[in-house]
Amino acid sequence: MKKWMSLSIALALIMTALSACGGGGKSSNDGAKENEASGKTVEISVLVGKEEIAKPFESMVSDYNSSQDKVKVSIIPLSGANGYERMTTLYASNNAPTVMSIGQELELMQGKLLDLSDQEWVKNASPGTLDYATYDGKVLGMPMSVEAFGFIYNKAVLDKVAGGSFDPSSVRTINDLKALFEKIEAAGVTPITVTPLDWSLGAHFSNILFTDQSPDRETRHKFLADMKSGNVDLANNAVFNGWMDTLDLMKQYNKAKDAPLSAQYDEAPLQLADGEAAMWFMGNWAYPQLKEADPDGEYGFLPVPVSNNADDYGNSQISASVSLYWSIDKEQSTPEEQAAAKDFLNWMVSSEQGQDYYVNQFSAIPAFNNFKIMPEDSLSQSLLFYMDKQQTLEWMNLYFPPDGYPTMGATLQKYLTGNIDRAGVAKEYEEYWKKAK
């Protein structure tokens, strides 16, 4: 069983980057040399599975293209599909992207991916960040960034509610969260906005159910295995019931509680930034939208409590990990395209311009120790605080099958709309996992 990254160790390596002198980075120039020799322009495509960084990524690609004589990078849109669906369609039509962002699908697609073990960035990757992407000794993906999710809060709103500086450690139980929601509502602000997307509910919120089962990695992964074998009675699982109690609070105090599925992702950062909602269940990848809405706003993370015992595992931690990797196709791309793709990946994490985009435009927490630029925004600082305190949770949703989050997300969507009760959620989750491949 693969060992997952130790975020505390990764943090130490990341923080070392603050004084590191790296960043110039050696890039594979094989593609450039071959292009110069042939005189032809090599075109490569990139499938970006994170719509939150779509705009700055387009700008980065434009800058990269303007600096290249014989390479042109184009972006493939998701076109309304999720990453795995889009990749499957493109492969089936013999139009596979040269570079793709990939997460839980990596194991399924490992046979289609190029071995990147010899790349310069491999030696700069923080300890543990390559474990998930390594199969049979081959590194098949470059870590995109360290990401986290939980309750994002607007500090100005919660400071006002608290009558001073809000202390996030004051919320460590379900009852604490309820009391906070009540205070926020009494102040005339909607306590929370819930984005009902299947990946947010089925991957991220569902992750909490699995990862909070135990501080011991083997125990929580055994829970996942027991779900697959049908040996879990969720109705009598303490974490499940506490998790559902928290979801009930989110449902009750949701800004869109009268029409929960009508809430749009793009509305949420505006609602949070404008102070219409005090909190939002989401991840730090949303910071670019928050910054655009309110450049001077300050934000932080609250954990998602699942019990009324403040010392229970998960009540003081946020989910943080490497969520996506950049991989290169080896089935439908030419050697020249593969070489150009390697150069592009190296440029993103080794050049000063690429690092600037990563940190200042993507709002990414680097998964490498050679970055000269580190994030200074409030949300990133909140994430680094939890990492420094070793208060982080594993992203077990990376081990969900590709149809896992759409299926579980659909179940939670039904729950938010009142079309299914708690027993129904337990039944549908159990039935899904017994059939999961």
Side-chain angles (χ1 to χ4, degrees):
M1 185 174 290
K2 295 180 180 292
K3 295 177 65 178
W4 191 245
M5 69 180 292
S6 167
L7 281 169
S8 58
I9 295 176
L11 173 69
L13 268 293
I14 290 172
M15 297 308 288
T16 300
L18 289 171
S19 58
C21 60
K26 176 184 176 184
S27 171
S28 167
N29 291 315
D30 293 344
K33 290 177 180 178
E34 291 172 10
N35 297 341
E36 290 173 6
S38 66
K40 297 179 180 179
T41 296
V42 175
E43 297 187 9
I44 63 173
S45 58
V46 182
L47 178 65
V48 184
K50 290 179 67 60
E51 292 182 288
E52 300 86 358
I53 65 169
K55 289 182 179 179
F57 196 87
E58 287 178 9
S59 297
M60 185 186 73
V61 166
S62 177
D63 284 345
Y64 181 77
N65 285 339
S66 66
S67 70
Q68 303 295 311
D69 293 329
K70 299 298 181 181
V71 176
K72 180 181 179 182
V73 180
S74 62
I75 299 173
I76 299 176
L78 284 175
S79 300
N82 64 48
Y84 184 68
E85 291 172 345
R86 192 76 171 106
M87 281 186 280
T88 301
T89 301
L90 290 167
Y91 267 97
S93 62
N94 203 39
N95 289 306
T98 322
V99 179
M100 64 204 89
S101 58
I102 188 169
Q104 65 198 73
E105 311 89 0
L106 199 148
E107 182 174 7
L108 290 174
M109 297 188 63
Q110 58 179 295
K112 302 178 183 295
L113 306 178
L114 189 67
D115 182 7
L116 304 175
S117 304
D118 63 346
Q119 293 302 287
E120 182 73 12
W121 51 260
V122 171
K123 71 179 184 182
N124 295 321
S126 298
T129 57
L130 299 180
D131 290 352
Y132 180 78
T134 302
Y135 292 85
D136 298 326
K138 299 177 181 179
V139 178
L140 304 180
M142 184 179 85
M144 185 177 289
S145 66
V146 177
E147 292 187 324
F149 56 84
F151 291 131
I152 300 177
Y153 64 87
N154 183 318
K155 187 176 184 300
V157 173
L158 293 195
D159 282 352
K160 184 176 180 180
V161 170
S165 181
F166 172 70
D167 180 7
S169 67
S170 64
V171 180
R172 297 182 60 187
T173 67
I174 296 173
N175 285 343
D176 290 341
L177 183 65
K178 182 179 181 180
L180 178 61
F181 281 173
E182 290 173 346
K183 289 180 181 178
I184 295 169
E185 190 173 58
V189 178
T190 301
I192 189 169
T193 180
V194 179
T195 300
L197 294 172
D198 57 2
W199 55 262
S200 182
L201 297 171
H204 299 156
F205 192 72
S206 293
N207 177 71
I208 295 167
L209 166 64
F210 288 84
T211 198
D212 279 11
Q213 291 294 326
S214 173
D216 178 68
R217 185 183 186 279
E218 289 189 7
T219 301
R220 57 182 178 261
H221 278 264
K222 183 179 184 300
F223 175 81
L224 184 64
D226 288 343
M227 286 287 291
K228 291 180 179 179
S229 60
N231 293 325
V232 175
D233 177 12
L234 285 178
N236 292 305
N237 181 273
V239 175
F240 172 79
N241 283 301
W243 176 73
M244 289 297 300
D245 288 344
T246 300
L247 181 60
D248 283 342
L249 286 178
M250 295 165 62
K251 179 180 178 180
Q252 178 183 350
Y253 290 95
N254 182 19
K255 185 171 182 61
K257 63 180 179 182
D258 294 332
L261 300 191
S262 68
Q264 300 297 309
Y265 179 93
D266 291 341
E267 297 172 345
L270 296 175
Q271 293 166 352
L272 191 65
D274 292 343
E276 294 179 33
M279 297 166 63
W280 179 26
F281 179 76
M282 194 49 62
N284 64 313
W285 53 83
Y287 183 72
Q289 286 76 37
L290 291 170
K291 181 180 180 181
E292 183 177 2
D294 182 12
D296 299 321
E298 293 187 52
Y299 306 91
F301 275 115
L302 271 182
V304 179
V306 294
S307 78
N308 278 315
N309 182 345
D311 296 325
D312 280 350
Y313 184 68
N315 285 357
S316 299
Q317 293 87 9
I318 62 171
S319 300
S321 188
V322 174
S323 59
L324 289 170
Y325 293 79
W326 294 110
S327 294
I328 298 176
D329 165 67
K330 73 174 184 180
E331 277 196 345
Q332 298 180 16
S333 58
T334 66
E336 292 79 15
E337 291 167 345
Q338 292 169 14
K342 290 178 181 179
D343 287 343
F344 176 62
L345 293 185
N346 273 296
W347 178 87
M348 278 202 291
V349 298
S350 64
S351 72
E352 183 176 349
Q353 191 173 23
Q355 290 185 7
D356 180 65
Y357 267 104
Y358 242 72
V359 172
N360 295 321
Q361 302 300 318
F362 302 167
S363 297
I365 303 291
F368 301 92
N369 57 34
N370 65 313
F371 267 61
K372 292 190 294 183
I373 304 170
M374 292 298 290
E376 298 180 355
D377 65 90
S378 56
L379 197 58
S380 294
Q381 290 301 310
S382 180
L383 165 53
L384 290 171
F385 171 83
Y386 284 101
M387 291 171 66
D388 186 38
K389 298 294 184 181
Q390 299 185 37
Q391 294 177 331
T392 57
L393 300 167
E394 179 183 9
W395 277 38
M396 288 187 64
N397 49 288
L398 284 171
Y399 298 90
F400 294 173
D403 64 346
Y405 78 77
T407 303
M408 291 184 287
T411 294
L412 295 187
Q413 286 170 346
K414 287 191 286 185
Y415 187 77
L416 288 177
T417 56
N419 290 318
I420 194 173
D421 60 12
R422 181 176 298 207
V425 172
K427 181 180 178 181
E428 289 197 5
Y429 268 52
E430 289 172 3
E431 289 180 347
Y432 166 72
W433 279 101
K434 283 188 285 189
K435 299 175 183 176
K437 297 181 181 179

